Amino acid sequence: MNDLSLAALRVPGTATAAAALDVAADHLSPALLNHSLRAYLWAAARGTADGIPFDPELLYVAALFHDIGLVPVFDSHTVAFEEAGGHVARVFAAGAGWPAERRARLSDVIVRHMWPRVDVAADPEGHLLARATATEVVGKEADAYPSRFREEVLDRYPRLDLAASFLACFQDQAARKPDSPAAGAVRSGLAERMAANPFDSSA
């Protein structure tokens, strides 16, 4: 990964990618939007460095929508936030003209980002997004990225109040949806793991 740079990473330039960014920017807080964009960059960097073939557009749209179920207007009182986000993304992708199979893949990637492990052979985009969001939220594998690349990403997309606002979202989800993965994360010490995230402790 030593030669990684933002300029070397491919950000999809499709109309669907641009529309997804517009929708995300309209509904996510600045901190969650930056978090989503960083998640794509960590995931794309990991895939590039490890030689994992991935679909940049699919990964980018999934990253932009992976937390949209935390936004009040899209929150669901009946399903976990990642499932709600998968539904929102699926509707968006239908409007963008994606075929049914690709829409289902998008939803799967979003749902699986909350899994503890995603098989890279079965779902490379889900695998990369799950690892990237773990890097984002608790700093897992943060040291695997070169310090200059980390600084470049954080300068481009600052963390703002992500630590506090994200933890509050998960605690709210846990209170209302005690059987959800978010609730499991809170019960297993999410607050303590987030407090040890080097991205925030060094901010």
Side-chain angles (χ1 to χ4, degrees):
M1 282 198 187
N2 290 336
D3 57 350
L4 271 178
S5 69
L6 283 182
L9 291 181
R10 179 182 169 195
V11 175
T14 64
T16 299
L21 179 59
D22 284 346
V23 171
D26 281 345
H27 294 286
L28 297 177
S29 69
L32 274 180
L33 178 62
N34 282 4
H35 159 69
S36 300
L37 290 164
R38 287 192 308 270
Y40 171 76
L41 294 173
W42 303 133
R46 169 67 60 188
T48 300
D50 290 357
I52 299 171
F54 66 93
D55 179 328
E57 183 186 55
L58 178 63
L59 181 60
Y60 184 77
V61 175
L64 286 172
F65 282 96
H66 83 276
D67 278 344
I68 205 159
L70 294 173
V71 176
V73 70
F74 295 122
D75 189 13
S76 168
H77 290 269
T78 60
V79 298
F81 84 90
E82 65 273 19
E83 293 182 45
H87 292 310
V88 173
R90 206 165 183 159
V91 171
F92 165 83
W98 284 14
E101 183 178 357
R102 188 168 176 78
R103 298 196 300 264
R105 281 283 295 117
L106 176 63
S107 180
D108 286 344
V109 172
I110 291 170
V111 169
R112 290 170 183 166
H113 93 270
M114 286 296 291
W115 288 12
R117 182 179 179 278
V118 181
D119 182 359
V120 64
D123 183 358
E125 293 80 17
H127 170 86
L128 292 170
L129 186 59
R131 290 177 70 178
T133 53
T135 297
E136 265 291 292
V137 175
V138 298
K140 186 176 181 181
E141 298 185 300
D143 289 344
Y145 299 90
S147 59
R148 185 164 59 178
F149 179 70
R150 294 197 305 265
E151 291 167 5
E152 196 178 10
V153 171
L154 294 171
D155 284 345
R156 176 78 60 86
Y157 301 112
R159 290 181 70 80
L160 305 176
D161 67 341
L162 180 70
S165 61
F166 189 88
L167 181 60
C169 284
F170 261 51
Q171 289 171 333
D172 174 66
Q173 292 283 315
R176 293 187 289 110
K177 307 170 193 177
D179 296 326
S180 67
V186 170
R187 286 193 298 269
S188 67
L190 177 64
E192 292 76 11
R193 294 196 301 279
M194 288 183 66
N197 186 340
F199 288 146
D200 292 314
S201 61
S202 64

